[in-house]
Amino acid sequence: MLSAGFATESLPAACLAKKDAYAVRDEEASPEAETKLAAGVERPLVQTTRITTTIIKLYRFMIFVRIGIFVLFFKWRITNAARMISPTDAGGITTKPAAAIWTASIAGELWFAFMWTLDQLPKMFPVRRAVNIAALDDDSLLPAIDVFVTTADPDKEPPLATANTVLSILAADYPAHKVTCYISDDAGAEVTREAIAEAARFAAMWVPFCRKHGVEPRNPEVYFNGDGGEGSKERKVVTRGRYNGIAWPELVRDRRRVRREYEEMRLRIDAVVRRRRRPGHATTDDYAGVVQVVISPDGVTAVDERLPGLIYVRREKRRGRTHHRKAGAMNALLRASAVISNAPFILNLDCDHYVNNSLALRAGVCFFVERGEDGGEVAFVQFPQRFDGVDPCDRYANHNRVFFDCTELGLDGLQGPIYVGTGCFFRRAALYAADPPRWRPPLATAVESAMFGTSVPFLASVQATLNNKEGGGDAVDEAIALVSSGYEDGTAWGVEIGWMYGTVTEDVATGFSMHRRGWRSAYFDLAFAAGAGSRDAFRGTAPINLTDRLHQVLRWAAGSLEIFFSRNNALLATASGCRRRLHPLQRAAYLNTTVYPFTSLFLIAYLLFFPAIPLAAGAAAFDMPPTATYVGFLVALMLTLAAVAVLETRWSGVTITDWWRNEQFWMVSASGAYLAAVTHVALKLAAGKEVSFNLTSKRPAPAAKPPLGAGAGRYAELYAVRWTALMVPTSAALAVNVASMASAWMSMSMSTAWDCSPAAAVRVVFNLWVVVHLYPFALGLMGRRSKVLSPILFLFCVVAYLAIRFLYLLLQFHAA
């Protein structure tokens, strides 16, 4: 056990000074604001600055210029198409296939323009936020927080990773008596329960160690063995220059002791995992509910250091009942926590998303305890998702920076960002379907049991929350009843209250239900606000294997379509009595979020048939030379698209490389995963059959021999080839476009007339554009055995080429 001095020493002065560093840059503060600060006027906890630079003004201007070009282009396009297919025009083409192709082509172009507009308009009013964490140094000012951690499959979500996430929460820089961590084990796996128990035992040593020495990050696996993200390894030996504490001579001794204890904990958890995999240890899907206090919220360790509370929750599951996946587990946690700690604010983390910056909890609550009207209107605060272990070039756009650092940032200037599942702080009252303060009376009316259920202690806690009073209590037995499988029967859970049911993307639907009631949300990037070299608030594990990444995108896309066909349809839905509370552009953003998979229907037609159909030189509609007007519109649209993209990267801070990776993987996803999502949801609507999706694996890649040079062993999973049906449409599109380019080259070498036309040049440019976008997909197919798979891909392209030429011959024969 550690020494008494180790146990009782307070947070170092250096760490307190670090909070001032996180009190954030104010580069765009007005002179008036600086004068007030100099005069000693109290500074707000959250400062919001609207981006009004020349770049953002040019960005808005170019968006409207491009929309204007769209209007002129489609006016000309539709008029020209009507003339071309009119049977009364001497130059018209009267065949039905030609008319169908013209109609489908214009419909696709209209859809692409519509989706681009939906994507761009809500991003025109971005804001930057800063927080004054130093103002909350007095712990009495901090509210209580409940942290929800969810896990559902110990095979894909390793218990060791869950244990490390829990330890990072327990060691966060926040008053221990004001934090309670709840673990939802939705698989009912004994291995997870034992791993949490091991983490609780190790926490008695780890938490005091972190507090004394100012450890960052406070995830022991990453601190001792892992990497710090962004491809740079964390030093495994702490040097004096990197030390934040005041007891350097003790650090070496303490660190060695703590690391030895951690390695022993790892071995014990690994032994439990191996034992579970033996016959007779399979997890059942029928079990009773459990709520177990692993660390009491008022518990004190053997070294006289208070630890946050830790509660293990396993909701009841019975065969034949619908359990609503993660949303059901989150609602069970919401009820159980209400009768135990009932904190007014909640932090939601996936089991692999750990606290990477110990000040993250303090930063998050700044938005809720902010003085004035704005603080009381915030329902949730979304932090960006950052990941460890992603390959340096981010081949499959796992970081998703365009969405977080651009789209979410832009939405923050409206009603706020979309909730995306993890790294999000919530106001408990908003989850109870309460209206924002400006729309509700000072005191809440009686809570209806028909909506919340029949538990009297729980109803009392809800009433206390809605009236901004303390509630809850140590009612563990009542919590067990609240996580029973039948408690929600006949209530509004998942419909009006808590996390929404009916979709696998419960996060988007839940955020929408709050926004349409008039609540606001906020987006905050702690690392950006604190300046260069600062730590992200949270970090997680991303799938770097192509198959896992496609299945992840499939789940998101299918969930979005489920929302579109539900009562939470952004185009139509409005909460009762909440007519004008949802900003029109916020509604457009949610519409874009729920209909984007439909793009695959038009895109796959372009990728597969556009390269093949023009080979029918005998049909004038297929090989019409592009007119000067068409070329002019095409050039104008491409130039304005490039201008908008460049300006977007400038004001958002997203790099051109990240933007390009996002564009490439959008093409890969839209041609395969989106199409599968549309098919799945169509079958669900037609047959009423629920669609099941695989949970994304969060198991780190195993060590392997470097396939492509030194250091590549860390990314061995990146080179693994696991074939899935989701790859078929994209593979076909890649092969057809490569074959089309080969066909054009061969035809030009033989001086055939049809492939020397301006139309042929446009087709080749299109083919090249598709192939360049699908390049990461081709790398994923080749994996580390590119020498073996390259001939297979070559054969695939040859077959596609022969198929296209055969189609051409058939059409020529038919025309003759």
Side-chain angles (χ1 to χ4, degrees):
M1 188 56 65
L2 302 177
S3 64
F6 178 95
T8 59
E9 201 154 352
S10 61
L11 189 68
C15 295
L16 295 177
K18 187 179 178 184
K19 293 179 186 176
D20 293 328
Y22 282 98
V24 211
R25 302 177 301 184
D26 251 343
E27 298 173 353
E28 298 178 307
S30 65
E32 293 80 3
E34 293 178 356
T35 302
K36 290 180 180 180
L37 288 176
V41 177
E42 186 179 14
R43 183 180 180 181
L45 288 175
V46 180
Q47 182 171 347
T48 303
T49 306
R50 189 173 294 279
I51 300 177
T52 57
T53 61
T54 302
I55 292 176
I56 193 68
K57 293 176 182 177
L58 285 174
Y59 173 73
R60 296 169 188 156
F61 174 74
M62 291 306 302
I63 287 175
F64 285 109
V65 167
R66 194 161 195 261
I67 291 175
I69 295 174
F70 276 141
V71 172
L72 296 175
F73 171 70
F74 285 116
K75 180 180 178 181
W76 171 83
R77 190 89 161 90
I78 294 172
T79 303
N80 186 61
R83 180 181 62 81
M84 290 298 300
I85 64 178
S86 173
T88 61
D89 193 323
I93 301 165
T94 59
T95 60
K96 290 183 178 180
I101 291 172
W102 277 94
T103 303
S105 175
I106 293 174
E109 291 164 0
L110 282 168
W111 178 261
F112 293 141
F114 174 67
M115 292 303 298
W116 183 88
T117 304
L118 280 184
D119 181 59
Q120 295 298 329
L121 288 180
K123 297 189 290 188
M124 294 194 300
F125 307 99
V127 297
R128 293 286 186 190
R129 297 189 185 272
V131 296
N132 185 13
I133 299 179
L136 295 178
D137 277 349
D138 183 354
D139 290 350
S140 64
L141 300 175
L142 294 171
I145 297 179
D146 288 339
V147 185
F148 293 174
V149 180
T150 55
T151 180
D153 187 341
D155 291 326
K156 293 186 177 182
E157 299 171 329
L160 180 61
T162 304
N164 275 282
T165 294
V166 169
L167 288 165
S168 72
I169 296 168
L170 299 181
D173 180 11
Y174 207 84
H177 64 286
K178 294 188 176 183
V179 177
T180 306
C181 179
Y182 292 83
I183 310 298
S184 170
D185 178 14
D186 216 34
E190 194 64 29
V191 62
T192 302
R193 192 173 181 176
E194 293 187 36
I196 297 304
E198 290 290 346
R201 283 189 285 270
F202 178 65
M205 177 177 285
W206 173 249
V207 173
F209 171 73
C210 292
R211 289 173 182 167
K212 177 182 179 181
H213 296 292
V215 165
E216 294 284 1
R218 300 189 176 182
N219 174 326
E221 178 65 28
V222 178
Y223 176 70
F224 290 124
N225 306 314
D227 69 87
E230 302 298 332
S232 62
K233 288 190 176 181
E234 192 81 26
R235 295 186 186 180
K236 296 181 181 180
V237 178
V238 178
T239 63
R240 183 67 179 261
R242 293 163 56 88
Y243 180 52
N244 293 322
I246 60 175
W248 168 257
E250 297 181 29
L251 173 63
V252 176
R253 180 180 70 253
D254 292 340
R255 189 174 188 274
R256 185 183 302 117
R257 187 178 304 155
V258 173
R259 180 164 191 168
R260 183 171 60 248
E261 290 294 327
Y262 174 68
E263 294 300 331
E264 291 179 1
M265 184 196 78
R266 286 189 60 175
L267 292 175
R268 289 193 294 270
I269 292 178
D270 288 343
V272 173
V273 172
R274 288 194 298 270
R275 185 169 67 248
R276 174 188 176 274
R277 292 174 180 170
R278 296 174 184 171
H281 286 271
T283 302
T284 179
D285 58 353
D286 193 341
Y287 46 78
V290 172
V291 177
Q292 176 185 352
V293 179
V294 183
I295 300 177
S296 172
D298 297 323
V300 178
T301 68
V303 290
D304 196 26
E305 279 286 336
R306 174 173 285 183
L307 297 179
L310 179 60
I311 315 292
Y312 171 87
V313 178
R314 184 183 73 185
R315 61 175 174 147
E316 181 186 28
K317 284 190 176 181
R318 297 301 176 193
R319 293 187 181 92
R321 297 191 65 95
T322 302
H323 299 105
H324 303 291
R325 306 185 184 93
K326 181 180 177 180
M330 295 295 290
N331 285 337
L333 288 179
L334 186 61
R335 295 191 298 271
S337 63
V339 296
I340 297 177
S341 53
N342 198 37
F345 307 113
I346 294 167
L347 169 60
N348 163 215
L349 290 175
D350 286 347
C351 64
D352 67 311
H353 266 74
Y354 60 89
V355 179
N356 186 58
N357 188 320
S358 62
L359 296 174
L361 273 64
R362 291 177 181 262
V365 300
C366 284
F367 291 85
F368 299 113
V369 300
E370 169 71 326
R371 292 163 291 277
E373 184 177 276
D374 290 343
E377 297 287 322
V378 175
F380 62 91
V381 181
Q382 179 67 62
F383 282 70
Q385 294 179 14
R386 306 301 191 207
F387 301 100
D388 294 331
V390 177
D391 60 298
C393 67
D394 194 12
R395 179 188 294 178
Y396 304 132
N398 280 290
H399 286 304
N400 213 359
R401 291 191 182 274
V402 173
F403 174 76
F404 285 106
D405 297 339
C406 186
T407 301
E408 295 282 73
L409 189 67
L411 289 174
D412 204 5
L414 302 177
Q415 277 185 262
I418 295 171
Y419 167 41
V420 287
T422 185
C424 191
F425 288 82
F426 281 97
R427 186 184 300 272
R428 186 181 287 267
L431 288 167
Y432 288 157
D435 287 335
R438 71 171 70 177
W439 301 104
R440 72 172 187 258
L443 293 178
T445 57
V447 178
E448 299 179 8
S449 60
M451 292 185 64
F452 290 89
T454 58
S455 170
V456 174
F458 175 65
L459 293 176
S461 73
V462 173
Q463 187 78 46
T465 297
L466 298 181
N467 288 324
N468 297 317
K469 296 180 179 179
E470 294 184 1
D474 190 14
V476 176
D477 291 338
E478 187 66 24
I480 295 175
L482 289 167
V483 300
S484 64
S485 60
Y487 182 82
E488 296 180 353
D489 293 349
T491 67
W493 285 99
V495 179
E496 293 288 342
I497 302 170
W499 277 261
M500 298 295 103
Y501 296 158
T503 172
V504 293
T505 52
E506 72 292 326
D507 44 6
V508 176
T510 302
F512 174 71
S513 70
M514 296 178 183
H515 279 138
R516 71 179 184 175
R517 289 185 176 277
W519 287 100
R520 291 185 49 81
S521 60
Y523 176 76
F524 184 61
D525 185 348
L526 180 56
F528 180 89
S534 302
R535 308 190 66 86
D536 296 313
F538 310 101
R539 294 190 75 88
T541 305
I544 62 173
N545 177 267
L546 177 59
T547 303
D548 287 341
R549 184 75 167 103
L550 287 175
H551 278 289
Q552 182 186 59
V553 172
L554 168 63
R555 188 174 68 253
W556 292 345
S560 296
L561 289 175
E562 288 175 330
I563 294 173
F564 180 74
F565 290 106
S566 73
R567 62 188 300 275
N568 290 311
N569 180 302
L571 193 61
L572 305 173
T574 301
S576 130
C578 304
R579 296 282 172 194
R580 301 181 180 177
R581 296 188 191 178
L582 190 64
H583 193 288
L585 290 181
Q586 191 81 19
R587 190 183 294 272
Y590 274 109
L591 181 62
N592 178 49
T593 303
T594 54
V595 301
Y596 71 88
F598 288 127
T599 302
S600 61
L601 299 175
F602 298 99
L603 183 64
I604 200 67
Y606 273 75
L607 298 184
L608 289 177
F609 299 117
F610 182 86
I613 289 178
L615 294 177
F622 301 155
D623 202 36
M624 289 288 296
T627 65
T629 304
Y630 177 79
V631 173
F633 274 122
L634 185 63
V635 170
L637 288 171
M638 295 307 294
L639 287 177
T640 51
L641 175 64
V644 169
V646 170
L647 291 170
E648 187 174 86
T649 59
R650 292 293 302 277
W651 67 255
S652 66
V654 175
T655 65
I656 292 291
T657 301
D658 286 329
W659 183 88
W660 175 240
R661 286 283 180 250
N662 182 80
E663 290 296 300
Q664 286 183 308
F665 197 74
W666 175 85
M667 180 76 80
V668 174
S669 302
S671 58
Y674 293 1
L675 188 64
V678 172
T679 304
H680 284 182
V681 174
L683 290 175
K684 176 182 176 180
L685 294 174
K689 182 180 179 181
E690 276 296 324
V691 182
S692 59
F693 297 97
N694 293 327
L695 184 69
T696 302
S697 177
K698 299 179 177 72
R699 185 173 294 279
K705 293 183 179 180
L708 298 175
R714 296 181 61 233
Y715 310 111
E717 189 71 9
L718 181 69
Y719 308 100
V721 180
R722 299 171 184 170
W723 187 260
T724 173
L726 299 180
M727 299 178 180
V728 173
T730 312
S731 300
L734 178 63
V736 165
N737 281 274
V738 171
S740 182
M741 286 194 298
S743 174
W745 178 79
M746 293 178 64
S747 298
M748 289 178 64
S749 65
M750 294 184 292
S751 299
T752 55
W754 68 269
D755 237 351
C756 295
S757 65
V762 173
R763 290 195 299 272
V764 171
V765 170
F766 176 81
N767 298 147
L768 182 61
W769 179 79
V770 172
V771 171
V772 169
H773 275 76
L774 295 182
Y775 177 69
F777 177 79
L779 292 179
L781 287 184
M782 289 188 290
R784 71 169 64 127
R785 298 180 179 85
S786 56
K787 294 183 179 180
V788 176
L789 293 176
S790 292
I792 298 176
L793 291 177
F794 176 75
L795 180 62
F796 196 14
C797 293
V798 170
V799 171
Y801 168 72
L802 293 176
I804 291 173
R805 299 302 288 179
F806 180 67
L807 174 63
Y808 163 69
L809 292 175
L810 284 179
L811 291 173
Q812 288 287 75
F813 176 77
H814 179 71

